[in-house]
């Protein structure tokens, strides 16, 4: 069954899906990797982004990507509120480790139940002219449904990388992850910086959600399918490394695609997590971790 | 507290006949559970309008089982011991019927089942009757039509790819399909499972395409059903027949979103609005159901579970009337020995409580244009190819003809 045609297609499909994984994982990379906030509710915010894109598409005919972009400020504000609650309830008291985890579990359920009540359990899909269209470069077929999420994933990665490395707030976010006390001594309020960073991570979920519903149908609890995968990507890439997250996303995407093509799709998660274990054994900080 | 009751004012004086059940009104299967409840309430209304059963009004006593099997024993114990219901029927689905079986056996109850897959296989309880028309051997009945239609084509297809999600239903469906593959002498060139968390199905479809099969049999759940069909259109799959056991294509949600991409896809169904399946009362039922569906937030078509949810209490009601009794044993004996006229056609049960003869339909999507839901309410978009007596059109063959 092996052929060059199949191999090339598998690699391209893997890169495309890797770009999408990056879009979903970047938010976790910021909150978990940089801030040490284990936001396991992140995938449910992504699903919230999907339903926002769905609603705007259904009622106003908006393109999902446009909705994803337009709603980033609202998701940012939502992130501010969630972080405020988390900070006041747990982080300030130094109870963030286990109780904070329970808090995010609670947030996950609240988001899921709210979506369930509003939209029911049916799977929702989106209508856009380019969904279902594809083009060929030589023997390689590329679907717009996968190409767009990959490009947007790359764009978010670049934007986030530039923000973190070139701007004052970006550098402050990196600094707060290293030593918040030192940052305080420099006259910067670490809580404010963490709030900005966390809100930014939730803002990325707006776009990631729009990408998710472009790729396939969603239902309120489908985010749980992604929890393991996105945390694995963040750990594999190296905690808090934005470029590492992208690299890990593409590696996992390509590995899954090759496994699904040549050895049977059932093996894909096992091979992905096997790679994670091997990398952690050799490089405990992850691929790009310090 | 019971969530609801229905009876006609005229019959209020008499002691009601209570039918108790748990139903998925929240949780993963709530979409179907709510639709089933609505149908059962329609049946209770109809019966009560005619004066009830044995001159007594019918009252439905139900609780939300939250789609949780663990909630089932408590609900039914309360129904039987506190609410003192006359009959119990099951909630929706295999997983909530399983914990109900031991209760029914222990208390010697008549139990009507709603869409359970082989729940009685181990128990072999004689007073269990199940309304999903998958026949006495469900795993085989499920895909019988796909393989019988395939084997009749000239020249006969030779090779097949089998693929499905790594989960309980696809396992059963594929096990049945493998039996048929052996029986009809096809050669398996691809036999793969994928994890339910798969995001992109194009590598799987490409791998199948590389094996160049004549037939592709798919056993999938709704998200993978949509993902695979999209990938088939993006990759192109030049095969002769495609589909078979794809869950989700029975509902308006996926039908309207996939639209013309469905053309040529073959799939199992239990009821479709074709003239060959025009049973007495079904059209009136669907018109009433569809008028209420949007407000209730359930599937606007109601072709999958609602008619059967109406029919399983219809069977119970007819048996009560015929025996003039509410005695569990008498009514169960009657159901075992007789045929019933329901809105889903004539129903007779096999000794294991399944339909005596499978009536899993094999349909092919044809003439689907755009995403309008109204087209699926009429005949012509899901043409019945199997069984022969319900056939309503001819197969578009090969599938690749539609893909172009």
């Amino acid at each position: 069954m092996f052929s060059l045609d199949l191999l090339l297609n598998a690699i391209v499909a893997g890169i495309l899906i890797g770009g999408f994984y990056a879009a979903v994982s970047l938010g976790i990379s910021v909150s978990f990797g940089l801030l040490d906030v284990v936001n396991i509710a992140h995938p449910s915010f992504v699903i919230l982004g999907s339903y926002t894109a769905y609603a705007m598409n259904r009622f106003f005919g908006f393109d999902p990507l446009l909705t994803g972009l337009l709603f980033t400020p609202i998701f940012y504000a939502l992130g501010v509120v969630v972080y405020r609650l988390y900070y006041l309830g747990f982080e300030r008291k130094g109870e963030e480790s286990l109780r904070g985890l329970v808090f995010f579990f609670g947030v996950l359920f609240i988001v899921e139940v709210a979506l369930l009540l509003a939209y029911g359990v049916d799977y929702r899909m989106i209508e856009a002219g380019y969904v279902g269209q594809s083009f060929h470069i030589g023997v390689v077929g590329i679907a717009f449904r996968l190409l767009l999420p990959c490009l947007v994933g790359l764009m978010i990665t670049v934007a986030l990388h530039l923000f973190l490395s070139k701007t004052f707030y970006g550098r402050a976010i990196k600094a707060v992850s290293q030593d918040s006390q030192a940052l305080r001594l420099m006259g910067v309020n670490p809580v404010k910086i963490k709030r900005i960073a966390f809100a930014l991570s939730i803002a990325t979920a707006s776009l990631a959600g729009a990408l998710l519903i472009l790729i396939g149908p969603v239902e309120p609890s489908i985010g749980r399918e992604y929890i393991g995968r996105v945390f694995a990507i963040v750990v594999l890439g190296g905690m808090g490394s934005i470029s590492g997250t992208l690299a890990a996303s593409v590696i996992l995407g390509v590995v899954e695609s090759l496994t699904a093509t040549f050895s049977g799709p059932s093996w894909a998660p096992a091979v992905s997590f096997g790679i994670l274990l091997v990398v952690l054994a050799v490089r405990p900080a992850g691929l790009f971790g310090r | 507290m019971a969530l609801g009751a229905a009876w006609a004012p005229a019959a209020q004086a008499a002691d009601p006949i209570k039918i108790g059940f748990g139903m998925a009104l929240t949780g993963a299967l709530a979409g179907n559970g709510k639709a089933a409840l609505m149908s059962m309430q329609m049946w209770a209304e109809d019966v009560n309008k005619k004066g009830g059963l044995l001159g007594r009004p019918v009252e439905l006593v139900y609780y939300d089982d939250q789609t949780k099997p663990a909630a089932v024993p408590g609900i039914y114990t309360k129904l039987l011991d506190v609410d003192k219901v006359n009959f119990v029927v099951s909630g929706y689905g295999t997983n909530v019927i399983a914990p109900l079986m031991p209760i029914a056996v222990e208390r010697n109850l008549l139990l009507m089942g709603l869409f359970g897959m082989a729940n009685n296989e181990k128990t072999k309880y004689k007073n269990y009757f199940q309304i999903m028309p998958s026949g006495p051997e469900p795993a085989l009945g499920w895909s019988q039509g796909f393989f019988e239609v395939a084997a009749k084509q000239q020249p006969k297809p030779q090779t097949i790819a089998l693929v499905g999600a790594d989960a309980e239903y696809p396992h059963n469906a594929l096990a049945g399909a493998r039996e048929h593959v052996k029986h009809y002498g096809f050669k398996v060139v691809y036999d793969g499972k994928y994890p339910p968390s798969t995001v992109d199905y194009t590598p799987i479809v490409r791998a199948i395409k590389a094996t160049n099969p004549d037939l592709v049999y798919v056993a999938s759940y709704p998200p993978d059903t949509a993902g695979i069909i999209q990938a088939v259109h993006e990759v192109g799959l030049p095969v002769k027949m495609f589909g078979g056991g794809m869950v989700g294509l029975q509902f308006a949600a996926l039908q309207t979103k996939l639209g013309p991409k469905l053309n040529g896809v073959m799939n199992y169904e239990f009821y479709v609005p074709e003239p060959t399946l025009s049973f007495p009362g079904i059209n009136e039922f669907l018109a009433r159901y569809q008028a209420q569906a949007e407000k209730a937030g359930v599937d606007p078509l109601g072709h999958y579970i609602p008619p059967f949810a109406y029919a399983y209490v219809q069977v119970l009601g007819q048996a009560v009337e015929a025996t003039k009794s509410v005695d569990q044993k008498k009514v169960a004996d009657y159901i075992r020995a007789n045929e019933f006229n329901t809105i889903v056609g004539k129903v007779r049960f096999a000794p294991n409580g399944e339909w005596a003869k499978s009536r899993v339909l094999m349909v092919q999507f044809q003439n689907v244009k755009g995403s309008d839901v109204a087209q699926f309410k009429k005949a012509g978009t899901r043409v019945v190819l199997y069984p022969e007596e319900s056939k309503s059109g001819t197969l578009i063959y090969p599938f690749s003809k539609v893909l172009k």
Side-chain angles (χ1 to χ4, degrees):
Chain A
M1 176 172 112
F2 183 85
S3 71
L4 189 64
D5 163 0
L6 215 51
L7 178 70
L8 289 174
N9 273 298
I11 292 171
V12 171
I15 293 170
L16 294 181
I17 205 71
F20 162 70
Y21 286 166
V24 179
S25 308
L26 281 172
I28 302 245
S29 184
V30 172
S31 61
F32 181 47
L34 287 173
L35 309 178
D36 208 16
V37 176
V38 191
N39 178 14
I40 49 169
H42 189 81
S44 62
F45 285 105
V46 174
I47 307 302
L48 190 64
S50 294
Y51 274 89
T52 310
Y54 168 76
M56 296 299 283
N57 181 263
R58 188 178 167 200
F59 298 114
F60 304 107
F62 274 35
D63 182 88
L65 290 176
L66 180 66
T67 306
L69 203 61
L70 286 178
F71 273 76
T72 44
I74 296 167
F75 273 66
Y76 182 91
L78 185 63
V80 169
V81 174
V82 172
Y83 182 74
R84 194 80 197 137
L85 289 172
Y86 170 73
Y87 172 74
L88 292 175
F90 308 97
E91 205 170 52
R92 192 173 57 167
K93 299 174 191 162
E95 291 173 344
E96 67 267 31
S97 52
L98 193 60
R99 290 188 183 186
L101 199 65
V102 175
F103 168 74
F104 284 112
F105 244 125
V107 173
L108 181 136
F109 281 116
I110 289 167
V111 174
E112 270 185 30
V113 170
L115 289 174
L116 207 65
L117 290 174
Y119 294 97
V121 288
D122 271 347
Y123 283 89
R124 305 285 169 179
M125 287 172 78
I126 211 109
E127 281 172 61
Y130 47 80
V131 173
Q133 304 292 323
S134 58
F135 64 97
H136 282 79
I137 300 175
V139 291
V140 178
I142 297 172
F144 284 106
R145 184 173 58 91
L146 297 167
L147 178 66
L148 288 172
C150 177
L151 294 177
V152 175
L154 283 175
M155 272 155 46
I156 307 178
T157 308
V158 171
L160 209 58
H161 178 74
L162 290 176
F163 173 77
L164 289 174
S165 55
K166 304 283 182 199
T167 66
F168 167 76
Y169 281 112
R171 288 193 187 127
I173 290 168
K174 280 189 166 175
V176 83
S177 70
Q178 287 167 14
D179 193 337
S180 64
Q181 285 306 322
L183 195 68
R184 197 183 286 278
L185 292 174
M186 304 292 284
V188 181
N189 179 2
V191 178
K192 184 185 165 195
I193 296 299
K194 285 183 96 170
R195 190 174 67 227
I196 291 171
F198 185 84
L200 207 61
S201 79
I202 300 297
T204 64
S206 173
L207 265 169
L211 303 179
L212 174 64
I213 201 165
L214 265 187
I215 290 180
V218 298
E219 52 92 18
S221 62
I222 207 166
R224 296 178 193 199
E225 306 275 1
Y226 293 91
I227 292 172
R229 193 184 268 132
V230 286
F231 274 90
I233 286 171
V234 172
V235 173
L236 179 64
M239 300 284 275
S241 166
I242 300 300
S243 46
T245 302
L246 176 66
S249 301
V250 172
I251 289 171
L252 234 62
V254 172
V255 165
E256 281 186 5
S257 178
L258 286 172
T259 317
T261 305
F262 295 109
S263 326
S266 278
W267 285 99
V271 174
S272 299
F273 281 93
I275 288 178
L276 175 67
L277 290 178
V278 171
V279 169
L280 289 184
V282 181
R283 253 188 89 80
L287 290 172
F288 287 64
R290 274 189 264 181
Chain B
M1 191 187 79
L3 290 171
W7 63 84
Q12 269 175 1
D15 195 17
I17 292 180
K18 291 182 182 177
I19 300 173
F21 52 95
M23 189 58 79
L25 303 178
T26 55
L29 300 180
N32 281 330
K34 280 184 192 165
L37 174 64
M38 206 167 95
S39 307
M40 294 164 78
Q41 286 169 328
M42 285 165 66
W43 171 78
E45 258 173 50
D46 290 347
V47 168
N48 288 334
K49 257 187 220 158
K50 289 178 191 159
L53 294 176
L54 309 177
R56 294 162 63 183
V58 168
E59 182 182 335
L60 301 181
V61 185
Y62 59 92
Y63 299 94
D64 178 11
D65 68 26
Q66 301 168 10
T67 324
K68 285 182 186 158
V72 169
I75 288 174
Y76 281 85
T77 306
K78 183 165 187 300
L79 285 168
L80 291 161
D81 296 340
V82 181
D83 300 319
K84 306 276 184 205
V85 297
N86 299 88
F87 296 102
V88 292
V89 296
S90 88
Y92 165 59
T94 312
N95 290 352
V96 295
I97 298 176
L100 185 49
M101 293 303 291
I103 301 172
V105 174
E106 193 189 320
R107 300 196 184 211
N108 231 345
L109 302 172
L110 154 65
L111 178 61
M112 300 301 300
L114 182 63
F115 280 37
M117 178 70 124
N119 279 107
N120 204 19
E121 205 166 72
K122 286 184 186 140
T123 325
K124 300 197 187 330
Y125 181 51
K126 66 175 187 170
N127 292 343
Y128 168 76
F129 307 98
Q130 194 283 126
I131 200 71
M132 183 167 66
S134 45
E137 291 178 284
L140 287 179
W142 207 261
S143 50
Q144 179 76 37
F146 184 88
F147 288 94
E148 213 163 301
V149 171
K152 276 186 189 158
Q153 302 310 312
Q154 292 298 332
K156 189 184 156 194
Q158 298 296 314
T159 54
I160 184 165
L162 301 166
V163 65
D166 204 352
E168 193 182 339
Y169 154 71
H171 280 194
N172 289 336
L174 288 175
R178 285 188 198 98
E179 292 289 314
H180 290 302
V181 166
K182 261 189 253 164
H183 174 77
Y184 288 104
F186 297 121
K187 184 185 168 204
V188 178
V189 290
Y190 182 97
D191 191 345
K193 286 178 293 192
Y194 52 82
S197 62
T198 302
V199 182
D200 176 24
Y201 293 87
T202 50
I204 299 168
V205 172
R206 280 205 185 89
I208 292 172
K209 189 182 175 184
T211 62
N212 198 22
D214 290 331
L215 311 169
V216 179
Y217 184 86
V218 187
S220 54
Y221 284 122
D224 20 325
T225 295
I228 290 172
I229 289 177
Q230 267 170 338
V232 161
H233 279 264
E234 286 158 359
V235 173
L237 193 62
V239 297
K240 290 175 176 163
M241 274 170 54
F242 169 83
M246 305 178 92
V247 178
L249 296 185
Q250 300 75 13
F251 303 103
L254 282 198
Q255 286 173 5
T256 52
K257 292 297 173 197
L258 290 168
K261 288 195 190 85
L262 291 171
N263 284 325
V265 174
M266 288 183 67
N267 207 36
Y268 81 93
E269 284 277 6
F270 299 138
Y271 171 78
V272 284
E274 292 293 304
T276 49
L277 294 165
S278 158
F279 310 114
I282 186 75
N283 292 334
E284 294 79 356
F285 167 82
L286 286 172
R288 271 170 72 200
Y289 170 91
Q290 287 167 359
Q292 303 175 33
E294 197 174 341
K295 201 172 156 204
V298 293
D299 181 58
L301 294 175
H303 293 158
Y304 189 64
I305 199 164
F308 292 88
Y310 188 98
Y312 89 136
V313 275
Q314 216 182 355
V315 168
L316 179 63
Q318 286 175 15
V320 168
E321 282 289 353
T323 54
K324 303 206 180 315
S325 168
V326 289
D327 181 80
Q328 304 277 327
K329 187 179 176 306
K330 270 190 198 163
V331 179
D333 287 345
Y334 184 84
I335 295 176
R336 204 176 309 110
N338 289 279
E339 186 172 78
F340 296 84
N341 282 313
T342 73
I343 64 164
V344 295
K346 289 186 191 305
V347 181
R348 181 182 278 280
F349 295 97
N352 66 354
E354 302 289 343
W355 276 42
K357 187 168 178 269
S358 163
R359 206 196 66 204
V360 179
L361 310 169
M362 191 49 57
V363 306
Q364 185 178 42
F365 283 88
Q366 296 181 0
N367 311 307
V368 179
K369 294 178 185 84
S371 59
D372 182 17
V373 72
Q375 62 186 322
F376 298 105
K377 290 181 180 169
K378 295 182 294 197
T381 51
R382 280 170 290 166
V383 168
V384 181
L385 302 170
Y386 177 91
E388 202 59 43
E389 61 270 22
S390 307
K391 198 171 165 183
S392 68
T394 47
L395 172 72
I396 295 175
Y397 185 85
F399 172 67
S400 51
K401 199 158 85 179
V402 193
L403 268 188
K404 279 171 190 165

